């Protein structure tokens, strides 16, 4: 069954059938219905290979992920898939499996440049994708890592300053101010901080947001209460042990991710103290563990699905050159405060 066969059975031109199938022009409702009725009765399926040769488009978006096992990846892919289901595009997923090679040295991404661009070359020239969405597993700058391919490239979760790349990431500073203000409003003044790796952008931005909340409240963050972790649970535990050895004891702790927050809770309990009655704890990320730990962790939620959905939307709009994101270089998705059970309101407030 071909377009010509469909046209003959429906009593219309082949151009009309093409317009109906591709949605490229308006067709009179009566003619459109005749075409759709014939397609339904015959089970006609367009020849995508022939279409791609004719249009020089495959209607395939390449999704290149740094590691499918990393924390943000699955939710971002879910968002990409949800948006693409509304379009004519299909997804071709490629996994670089970089978690083991990078471990916690995420800024060493430059050493993976050859591997990344080999995968991009395949997607571009082998699979002939129309655009690529690159999904980072850590929030950092990957400028200069991805080579231009004269097709839309969208980076999700990481950022790039390259003029041929659009980045879709999340907000760090404002939500960190909000988290800190939540503690201050609950009466906490002696607040400690467990950072991620100190030189990384998210750690720096989150600390900046925390300091802003202190400044807005007319308070000063005590440097002795700032401990440097490395995003892992064990350093949250170790940093909390150091804080517990100090006097006076902090009444609240902001850990820059949920893993370190859970480590801090373990240390508080091991010391015979209670969360939140003796020490309040706030995390960041809203990982699954934040809802399963006891008490349930107050944290900041990164809307990973929205990052993926928006990245897919950006790719599609850059291909059509129509839409609010068609000319954008960076989109920032806001985070949300998730209030649970690890913050106590002090009695003097």
């Amino acid at each position: 069954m071909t377009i010509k066969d469909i046209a003959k059975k429906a009593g219309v031109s082949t151009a009309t059938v093409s317009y109906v199938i591709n949605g490229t022009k308006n067709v009179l409702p009566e003619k459109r219905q005749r075409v759709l009725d014939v397609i339904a009765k015959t089970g006609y399926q367009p020849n995508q290979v022939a279409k791609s040769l004719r249009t020089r488009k495959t209607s395939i978006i390449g999704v290149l992920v740094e590691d499918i096992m990393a924390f943000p990846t699955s939710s971002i892919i879910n968002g990409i898939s949800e948006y693409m289901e509304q379009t004519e595009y299909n997804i071709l997923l490629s996994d670089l499996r970089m978690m083991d090679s990078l471990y916690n040295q995420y800024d060493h991404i430059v050493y993976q440049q050859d591997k990344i661009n080999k995968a991009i070359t395949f997607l571009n020239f082998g699979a002939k994708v129309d655009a690529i969405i690159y999904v980072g597993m850590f929030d950092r700058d990957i400028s200069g890592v991805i080579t231009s391919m004269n097709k839309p490239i969208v980076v999700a979760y990481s950022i790039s300053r390259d003029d041929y790349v659009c980045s879709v990431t999340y907000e760090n500073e404002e939500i960190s101010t909000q988290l800190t203000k939540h503690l201050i409003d609950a009466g906490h003044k002696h607040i400690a901080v467990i950072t991620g790796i100190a030189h990384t952008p998210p750690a720096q931005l989150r600390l900046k947001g925390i300091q802003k909340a202190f400044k807005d409240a007319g308070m000063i963050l005590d440097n002795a209460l700032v401990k440097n972790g490395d995003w892992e649970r064990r350093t949250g535990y170790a940093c909390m042990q150091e804080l517990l050895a100090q006097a006076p004891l902090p009444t609240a702790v902001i850990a820059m991710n949920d893993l370190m927050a859970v480590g801090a809770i373990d240390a508080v309990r091991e010391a015979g103290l209670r969360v939140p009655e003796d020490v309040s704890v706030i995390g960041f990320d809203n990982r699954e563990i934040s809802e399963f730990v006891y008490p349930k962790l107050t944290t900041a939620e990164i809307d990973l699905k929205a990052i993926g959905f928006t990245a897919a939307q950006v790719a599609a709009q850059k291909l059509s050159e129509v839409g609010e994101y068609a000319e954008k270089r960076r989109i920032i998705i806001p985070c949300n405060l998730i209030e649970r059970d690890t913050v106590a309101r002090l009695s003097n407030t």
Side-chain angles (χ1 to χ4, degrees), residues 184-229:
I184 293 171
D185 289 346
H188 295 275
K189 294 182 175 62
H190 203 55
I191 301 170
V193 178
I194 300 175
T195 76
I197 299 173
H199 70 272
T200 58
Q204 292 175 344
L205 288 170
R206 291 173 198 181
L207 185 58
K208 187 176 179 182
I210 292 167
Q211 290 170 330
K212 182 180 185 304
F214 271 80
K215 183 179 179 181
D216 290 346
M219 298 163 55
I220 297 175
L221 176 61
D222 185 350
N223 288 333
L225 294 179
V226 179
K227 304 295 181 182
N228 293 329

Side-chain angles (χ1 to χ4, degrees), residues 33-78:
Q33 192 57 53
R34 290 200 332 247
V35 172
L36 292 175
D37 287 345
V38 173
I39 289 173
K41 288 177 182 177
T42 60
Y44 169 77
Q45 292 289 329
N47 186 324
Q48 293 297 332
V49 174
K51 181 182 176 182
S52 67
L53 290 172
R54 184 173 63 255
T55 63
R56 295 187 179 181
K57 292 184 177 180
T58 60
S59 295
I60 297 174
I61 303 295
V63 179
L64 183 61
V65 301
E66 290 184 348
D67 201 301
I68 202 165
M69 298 299 293
F71 151 64
T73 308
S74 61
S75 295
I76 292 174
I77 292 173
N78 184 266

Side-chain angles (χ1 to χ4, degrees), residues 334-349:
C335 294
N336 304 302
L337 169 63
I338 306 297
E339 294 187 46
R340 293 197 180 102
D341 306 323
T342 54
V343 173
R345 179 167 287 276
L346 299 188
S347 58
N348 60 350
T349 62

Side-chain angles (χ1 to χ4, degrees), residues 190-195 222-228 235-255 264 267-268 273 279-280:
H190 203 55
I191 301 170
V193 178
I194 300 175
T195 76
D222 185 350
N223 288 333
L225 294 179
V226 179
K227 304 295 181 182
N228 293 329
T235 57
Y237 177 86
C239 289
M240 192 69 233
Q241 282 188 314
E242 291 180 28
L243 291 167
L244 291 170
Q246 297 179 195
L249 186 72
T251 63
V253 176
I254 300 170
V268 170
L273 301 172
V279 181
S280 293

